[in-house]
Amino acid sequence: MSDRIPIILDVDTGTDDALALAYAVRSPRIDLVAATTVAGNVSVEKTTANTLAVLDWLGAESVPVHRGASRPLVQPHRDAIYFHDEGGLGGARLPASRRSVGADRGPAAVIRLAFQRPGELTLVMLGPLTNLAIALNVEPRLADWLRAVVVMAGAYTVPGNTTPAAEFNVLVDPEAAQQVFAAPFRDLVAVGLDVTERVALTRDDWDAVNPGSSLPPPAALLAEVGKFAFSALSRDQFSLHDPLSVAVAADPSLIQTENVTIEVEPVEPERGRTRIVGPGSVRVATSVDAERALHDFRSTLELPTAGRRGLESGTE
Ligand code: BDR
Ligand code: CA
């Protein structure tokens, strides 16, 4: 359908990246043009295999996947297996994909697609910003060829989630983040922990997809990728960092923003801290309609709600 927003997703799949892919595939507002992968939550070999497996699971075998950077620009890669488990998908058992990755690598694919459709594509970055920094270095005109860029990156008025100062995607590659925040995009939106931590699934959501019977693919995906967080780690909440960022690309009215300049701290002990240093052209998310975002996510993925509704309405 021509009125869908054409989107490229850059992912480090990743449990919440997997749900973001499901959201993009299922949203009637989105045309998922391609996915590019990067080293982040796990190695790029794993994020690529996971991305292919998740898309195939969702019946989106036609979405091309392009492998991207295997390490950050400057420092060695650090992963997030403490939250996403060794394989990156929270213990999910999905069939391995049998298809191949696209011929060109992540940054090259973004440049090619943006060149072919100038002013049309929205790029949503859900991992470390390495691929976009490389692409901008190779082709600075990319900043003008993209209609919009949404990055899930940073913590502006709240503590970090990986160190007290830093959010994971920025901490893994602060030099890339600094270059992206300084680039002259038409429209750059930074979606940080300030808003993403307010949009979280609960244990009730996970319980509702674990009835042991057959479920539609997106609900079954949640049952699988939620295992590590809700069962092994006994978490009560699962923040929808990456799905919210995709939703914002399709429906900007979910958030309020402020126009700022962002600087990234390059050295320890606060390496990766994102600071608002004054007015500027980056639109940083300051608040979110969390209720609407959650409702939109649950309905887009067609998650079962009967159990939760029963509890909420006091019918238990
Ligand atoms: C971000 O870090 C990753 O672990 C998640 O996938 C998300 O992109 C949240 O800080
Ligand atoms: Ca991610």
Side-chain angles (χ1 to χ4, degrees), residues 213-276:
S213 58
S214 67
L215 291 162
L221 182 69
L222 172 59
E224 289 289 313
V225 302
K227 281 195 276 193
F228 196 65
F230 285 115
S231 182
L233 299 178
S234 302
R235 297 277 180 99
D236 288 324
Q237 299 226 318
F238 183 102
S239 294
L240 296 175
H241 308 288
D242 292 346
L244 175 65
S245 304
V246 180
V248 162
D251 181 1
S253 74
L254 285 170
I255 56 167
Q256 305 279 311
T257 62
E258 212 173 284
N259 282 60
V260 301
T261 296
I262 297 168
E263 281 186 2
V264 181
E265 175 60 43
V267 295
E268 299 291 0
E270 297 213 319
R271 183 168 162 80
R273 179 185 284 284
T274 42
R275 286 195 184 85
I276 294 173

Coordinates of all heavy atoms in Angstrom, one line a residue, residues 213-276:
S213 N -1.0 -23.5 24.3 CA -1.7 -23.9 23.0 C -1.1 -23.1 21.9 O -0.3 -22.2 22.0 CB -3.2 -23.6 23.2 OG -3.4 -22.2 23.5
S214 N -1.7 -23.3 20.7 CA -1.1 -22.6 19.5 C -1.5 -21.1 19.5 O -2.6 -20.7 19.8 CB -1.6 -23.3 18.2 OG -3.0 -23.0 18.1
L215 N -0.5 -20.3 19.2 CA -0.6 -18.9 19.2 C -0.2 -18.3 17.8 O 0.6 -18.9 17.1 CB 0.3 -18.3 20.2 CG 0.0 -18.5 21.7 CD1 1.3 -18.2 22.5 CD2 -1.1 -17.7 22.2
P216 N -0.8 -17.1 17.5 CA -0.3 -16.5 16.2 C 1.2 -16.2 16.4 O 1.7 -16.0 17.5 CB -1.1 -15.2 16.1 CG -2.1 -15.2 17.2 CD -1.8 -16.3 18.2
P217 N 2.0 -16.1 15.3 CA 3.4 -15.9 15.3 C 3.9 -14.8 16.2 O 4.9 -15.0 17.0 CB 3.9 -15.7 13.9 CG 2.8 -16.5 13.1 CD 1.5 -16.3 13.9
P218 N 3.3 -13.6 16.2 CA 3.9 -12.5 17.1 C 3.7 -12.9 18.6 O 4.6 -12.6 19.4 CB 3.1 -11.3 16.7 CG 2.6 -11.6 15.3 CD 2.3 -13.0 15.3
A219 N 2.6 -13.4 18.9 CA 2.4 -13.8 20.4 C 3.3 -14.9 20.8 O 3.9 -14.9 21.9 CB 0.9 -14.2 20.6
A220 N 3.5 -15.9 19.9 CA 4.4 -17.0 20.2 C 5.8 -16.4 20.3 O 6.6 -16.9 21.1 CB 4.4 -18.0 19.1
L221 N 6.2 -15.4 19.5 CA 7.5 -14.8 19.6 C 7.7 -14.2 21.0 O 8.7 -14.3 21.6 CB 7.7 -13.7 18.5 CG 9.0 -13.0 18.4 CD1 10.1 -14.0 18.0 CD2 8.9 -11.8 17.5
L222 N 6.7 -13.5 21.5 CA 6.8 -12.9 22.8 C 7.0 -14.0 23.9 O 7.8 -13.8 24.8 CB 5.6 -12.0 23.1 CG 5.5 -11.5 24.6 CD1 6.7 -10.7 24.9 CD2 4.2 -10.7 24.8
A223 N 6.2 -15.1 23.7 CA 6.4 -16.2 24.7 C 7.8 -16.6 24.7 O 8.4 -16.9 25.8 CB 5.5 -17.3 24.3
E224 N 8.5 -16.7 23.6 CA 9.8 -17.2 23.5 C 10.9 -16.2 24.0 O 11.7 -16.5 24.8 CB 10.2 -17.6 22.0 CG 9.4 -18.8 21.6 CD 10.0 -20.1 22.2 OE1 11.2 -20.3 22.3 OE2 9.2 -20.9 22.7
V225 N 10.8 -14.9 23.4 CA 11.8 -14.0 23.8 C 11.7 -13.4 25.2 O 12.6 -12.9 25.8 CB 11.9 -12.8 22.8 CG1 12.2 -13.3 21.4 CG2 10.7 -11.9 22.9
G226 N 10.5 -13.6 25.8 CA 10.3 -13.2 27.2 C 10.8 -14.1 28.2 O 10.9 -13.8 29.4
K227 N 11.3 -15.3 27.8 CA 11.6 -16.4 28.8 C 12.7 -16.0 29.7 O 12.6 -16.1 30.9 CB 12.0 -17.7 28.0 CG 10.9 -18.5 27.5 CD 11.3 -19.9 27.1 CE 11.9 -19.9 25.7 NZ 12.1 -21.2 25.2
F228 N 13.8 -15.4 29.2 CA 15.0 -15.1 30.0 C 14.6 -14.0 31.0 O 14.9 -14.1 32.2 CB 16.1 -14.7 29.1 CG 17.5 -14.7 29.8 CD1 18.0 -15.9 30.3 CD2 18.2 -13.5 30.0 CE1 19.2 -15.9 30.9 CE2 19.4 -13.5 30.6 CZ 19.9 -14.7 31.1
A229 N 14.0 -12.9 30.5 CA 13.7 -11.8 31.4 C 12.6 -12.2 32.5 O 12.9 -12.0 33.7 CB 13.1 -10.6 30.6
F230 N 11.5 -12.8 32.1 CA 10.5 -13.1 33.0 C 10.7 -14.3 33.8 O 10.3 -14.4 35.0 CB 9.1 -13.2 32.3 CG 8.6 -11.8 31.8 CD1 8.4 -11.5 30.5 CD2 8.2 -10.9 32.8 CE1 7.9 -10.3 30.1 CE2 7.7 -9.6 32.4 CZ 7.5 -9.4 31.0
S231 N 11.4 -15.3 33.3 CA 11.5 -16.6 34.0 C 12.9 -16.6 34.6 O 13.0 -16.6 35.9 CB 11.3 -17.7 33.0 OG 11.4 -18.9 33.7
A232 N 14.0 -16.6 33.8 CA 15.3 -16.8 34.4 C 15.7 -15.6 35.3 O 16.2 -15.8 36.4 CB 16.3 -17.0 33.3
L233 N 15.4 -14.4 34.9 CA 15.8 -13.2 35.7 C 14.7 -12.8 36.6 O 14.9 -11.9 37.4 CB 16.2 -12.0 34.7 CG 17.3 -12.2 33.8 CD1 17.5 -11.0 32.9 CD2 18.6 -12.5 34.5
S234 N 13.5 -13.4 36.5 CA 12.4 -13.1 37.4 C 12.0 -11.6 37.4 O 11.6 -11.0 38.4 CB 12.7 -13.5 38.8 OG 12.9 -14.8 38.9
R235 N 12.2 -11.0 36.2 CA 11.7 -9.6 36.1 C 10.2 -9.5 36.0 O 9.5 -10.4 35.6 CB 12.3 -8.9 34.8 CG 13.8 -8.9 34.7 CD 14.3 -7.7 35.4 NE 15.8 -7.6 35.3 CZ 16.5 -6.9 34.5 NH1 15.8 -6.1 33.6 NH2 17.8 -6.9 34.4
D236 N 9.7 -8.4 36.5 CA 8.2 -8.2 36.4 C 7.8 -7.3 35.2 O 6.7 -7.2 34.9 CB 7.7 -7.5 37.7 CG 7.7 -8.5 38.8 OD1 7.5 -9.7 38.6 OD2 8.1 -8.1 40.0
Q237 N 8.9 -6.6 34.6 CA 8.6 -5.7 33.5 C 9.6 -5.9 32.4 O 10.7 -6.3 32.6 CB 8.7 -4.3 34.0 CG 7.7 -3.9 35.1 CD 7.1 -2.6 34.8 OE1 7.7 -1.6 34.4 NE2 5.8 -2.5 35.1
F238 N 9.2 -5.6 31.2 CA 10.0 -5.7 30.0 C 9.9 -4.4 29.2 O 8.8 -4.2 28.6 CB 9.6 -7.0 29.2 CG 10.5 -7.3 28.1 CD1 11.4 -8.3 28.1 CD2 10.3 -6.6 26.9 CE1 12.2 -8.6 27.0 CE2 11.0 -6.9 25.7 CZ 12.0 -7.9 25.8
S239 N 10.8 -3.6 29.2 CA 10.7 -2.3 28.6 C 10.7 -2.4 27.0 O 11.6 -3.2 26.5 CB 11.8 -1.3 29.0 OG 11.7 -1.0 30.3
L240 N 9.8 -1.7 26.4 CA 9.7 -1.8 24.9 C 10.5 -0.7 24.3 O 10.0 0.1 23.5 CB 8.2 -1.7 24.5 CG 7.4 -2.9 25.0 CD1 5.9 -2.7 24.7 CD2 7.9 -4.2 24.4
H241 N 11.9 -0.7 24.6 CA 12.7 0.4 24.0 C 12.6 0.4 22.5 O 12.3 1.5 21.9 CB 14.2 0.1 24.4 CG 14.5 -0.1 25.8 ND1 14.5 0.8 26.7 CD2 14.8 -1.3 26.4 CE1 14.8 0.3 27.9 NE2 15.0 -1.0 27.8
D242 N 12.9 -0.7 21.9 CA 13.0 -0.7 20.4 C 11.6 -0.7 19.7 O 11.4 0.1 18.8 CB 13.7 -1.9 20.0 CG 15.2 -1.8 20.4 OD1 15.7 -0.7 20.7 OD2 15.9 -2.9 20.3
P243 N 10.6 -1.4 20.2 CA 9.3 -1.3 19.6 C 8.7 0.1 19.7 O 8.1 0.6 18.7 CB 8.4 -2.3 20.4 CG 9.3 -3.3 20.9 CD 10.6 -2.5 21.2
L244 N 8.9 0.8 20.8 CA 8.4 2.2 20.9 C 9.1 3.1 19.8 O 8.4 3.9 19.2 CB 8.7 2.8 22.3 CG 8.3 4.3 22.4 CD1 6.7 4.4 22.2 CD2 8.7 4.8 23.8
S245 N 10.4 2.9 19.6 CA 11.1 3.7 18.6 C 10.5 3.5 17.2 O 10.4 4.5 16.4 CB 12.6 3.4 18.7 OG 13.0 3.6 20.0
V246 N 10.2 2.3 16.9 CA 9.6 2.0 15.6 C 8.2 2.7 15.5 O 7.8 3.3 14.5 CB 9.5 0.5 15.3 CG1 8.8 0.3 13.9 CG2 10.8 -0.1 15.4
A247 N 7.4 2.5 16.6 CA 6.1 3.1 16.6 C 6.1 4.6 16.4 O 5.3 5.2 15.7 CB 5.4 2.8 17.9
V248 N 7.2 5.3 17.0 CA 7.3 6.7 16.9 C 7.6 7.1 15.5 O 7.1 8.2 15.0 CB 8.5 7.2 17.8 CG1 8.9 8.6 17.4 CG2 8.0 7.2 19.3
A249 N 8.3 6.3 14.7 CA 8.6 6.6 13.3 C 7.3 6.6 12.5 O 7.1 7.4 11.6 CB 9.5 5.6 12.7
A250 N 6.3 5.7 12.9 CA 5.1 5.7 12.2 C 4.0 6.6 12.7 O 3.1 7.1 12.0 CB 4.5 4.2 12.3
D251 N 4.1 7.0 14.0 CA 3.2 7.9 14.6 C 3.9 8.8 15.6 O 3.9 8.6 16.8 CB 2.1 7.0 15.4 CG 1.1 7.9 16.1 OD1 1.2 9.2 15.9 OD2 0.2 7.4 16.7
P252 N 4.4 9.9 15.1 CA 5.2 10.8 15.9 C 4.4 11.4 17.0 O 5.0 11.9 18.0 CB 5.7 11.9 14.9 CG 5.5 11.3 13.5 CD 4.4 10.3 13.6
S253 N 3.1 11.4 16.9 CA 2.3 12.0 18.0 C 2.3 11.2 19.3 O 1.8 11.7 20.3 CB 0.8 12.2 17.5 OG 0.2 10.9 17.5
L254 N 3.0 10.0 19.3 CA 3.1 9.3 20.6 C 4.0 10.0 21.6 O 4.0 9.7 22.8 CB 3.7 7.9 20.3 CG 2.7 6.9 19.6 CD1 3.5 5.6 19.2 CD2 1.6 6.5 20.7
I255 N 4.9 10.8 21.1 CA 5.9 11.5 22.0 C 5.8 13.0 21.8 O 5.3 13.5 20.8 CB 7.3 11.0 21.7 CG1 7.7 11.3 20.3 CG2 7.5 9.6 22.2 CD1 9.2 11.2 20.0
Q256 N 6.3 13.7 22.9 CA 6.6 15.1 22.8 C 8.1 15.3 22.7 O 8.8 14.5 23.3 CB 6.1 15.8 24.1 CG 4.7 15.6 24.4 CD 3.8 16.5 23.6 OE1 4.0 17.7 23.5 NE2 2.7 15.9 23.0
T257 N 8.5 16.3 22.0 CA 10.0 16.4 21.8 C 10.4 17.9 22.1 O 9.6 18.8 22.0 CB 10.4 16.1 20.4 OG1 9.8 17.0 19.4 CG2 10.1 14.6 20.0
E258 N 11.7 18.0 22.3 CA 12.3 19.3 22.5 C 13.5 19.4 21.5 O 14.2 18.4 21.3 CB 12.8 19.4 23.9 CG 12.8 20.8 24.5 CD 13.2 20.7 26.0 OE1 12.3 20.2 26.8 OE2 14.3 21.0 26.3
N259 N 13.7 20.6 20.9 CA 14.9 20.7 19.9 C 16.1 21.1 20.6 O 16.2 22.1 21.2 CB 14.5 21.8 18.9 CG 13.6 21.2 17.8 OD1 12.5 20.8 18.1 ND2 14.1 21.2 16.6
V260 N 17.1 20.2 20.6 CA 18.3 20.3 21.4 C 19.6 20.0 20.6 O 19.5 19.4 19.5 CB 18.3 19.4 22.6 CG1 17.0 19.7 23.5 CG2 18.3 17.9 22.2
T261 N 20.7 20.3 21.2 CA 22.0 19.7 20.8 C 22.5 18.7 21.9 O 22.4 19.0 23.1 CB 23.1 20.9 20.7 OG1 22.7 21.8 19.7 CG2 24.5 20.3 20.4
I262 N 22.9 17.6 21.4 CA 23.3 16.5 22.3 C 24.8 16.3 22.1 O 25.4 16.2 21.0 CB 22.6 15.2 22.0 CG1 21.1 15.4 22.2 CG2 23.1 14.0 22.8 CD1 20.2 14.2 21.7
E263 N 25.5 16.1 23.3 CA 26.9 15.7 23.2 C 27.1 14.4 24.0 O 26.4 14.2 25.0 CB 27.8 16.8 23.8 CG 28.0 17.9 22.7 CD 29.0 19.0 23.1 OE1 29.6 18.9 24.2 OE2 29.1 19.9 22.3
V264 N 28.0 13.6 23.5 CA 28.3 12.3 24.2 C 29.6 12.3 24.9 O 30.6 12.7 24.2 CB 28.2 11.2 23.1 CG1 28.4 9.8 23.7 CG2 26.9 11.2 22.3
E265 N 29.6 11.9 26.1 CA 30.9 11.9 26.9 C 31.8 10.8 26.4 O 31.4 9.6 26.3 CB 30.5 11.6 28.4 CG 31.7 11.5 29.3 CD 32.6 12.7 29.3 OE1 32.1 13.8 29.4 OE2 33.8 12.5 29.3
P266 N 33.0 11.1 26.0 CA 33.9 10.1 25.4 C 34.7 9.3 26.3 O 35.3 8.3 26.0 CB 34.7 10.9 24.4 CG 34.8 12.2 25.0 CD 33.6 12.5 25.8
V267 N 34.9 9.8 27.6 CA 35.9 9.2 28.4 C 35.2 8.7 29.7 O 34.2 9.2 30.2 CB 37.1 10.1 28.8 CG1 37.9 10.5 27.5 CG2 36.6 11.4 29.5
E268 N 35.9 7.7 30.3 CA 35.5 7.2 31.6 C 35.7 8.2 32.7 O 36.5 9.1 32.5 CB 36.3 5.9 32.0 CG 36.1 4.8 31.0 CD 34.7 4.1 31.0 OE1 33.9 4.6 31.8 OE2 34.5 3.2 30.2
P269 N 34.9 8.2 33.8 CA 34.0 7.1 34.2 C 32.6 7.3 33.6 O 31.8 6.4 33.9 CB 34.0 7.3 35.7 CG 34.2 8.7 35.9 CD 35.1 9.2 34.8
E270 N 32.4 8.4 32.9 CA 31.0 8.6 32.4 C 30.9 8.4 30.9 O 30.0 8.9 30.2 CB 30.5 10.0 32.8 CG 30.4 10.2 34.3 CD 29.3 11.1 34.7 OE1 29.1 12.1 34.0 OE2 28.6 10.8 35.7
R271 N 31.8 7.6 30.3 CA 31.8 7.3 28.9 C 30.3 6.9 28.5 O 29.7 6.0 29.1 CB 32.8 6.2 28.6 CG 32.9 5.8 27.1 CD 34.1 4.9 26.9 NE 34.0 4.2 25.6 CZ 34.4 4.8 24.4 NH1 34.7 6.1 24.4 NH2 34.3 4.1 23.3
G272 N 29.8 7.5 27.4 CA 28.5 7.2 26.9 C 27.4 8.0 27.5 O 26.2 7.9 27.1
R273 N 27.7 8.9 28.4 CA 26.6 9.8 28.9 C 26.1 10.7 27.8 O 27.0 11.2 27.1 CB 27.1 10.6 30.2 CG 25.9 11.5 30.7 CD 26.4 12.4 31.8 NE 26.5 11.8 33.1 CZ 25.5 11.4 33.9 NH1 24.3 11.6 33.5 NH2 25.7 10.8 35.0
T274 N 24.8 10.9 27.7 CA 24.3 11.8 26.7 C 23.9 13.1 27.4 O 23.0 13.0 28.3 CB 23.1 11.2 25.9 OG1 22.3 10.5 26.9 CG2 23.6 10.2 24.9
R275 N 24.4 14.2 27.0 CA 24.1 15.5 27.6 C 23.4 16.5 26.7 O 23.9 16.6 25.5 CB 25.4 16.2 28.1 CG 26.1 15.7 29.3 CD 27.1 16.6 29.9 NE 27.8 16.0 31.0 CZ 28.8 15.2 30.8 NH1 29.3 15.0 29.6 NH2 29.3 14.6 31.9
I276 N 22.4 17.1 27.1 CA 21.7 18.2 26.4 C 22.5 19.4 26.7 O 22.5 19.8 27.9 CB 20.2 18.3 26.7 CG1 19.5 17.0 26.2 CG2 19.6 19.5 26.1 CD1 18.1 16.9 26.7

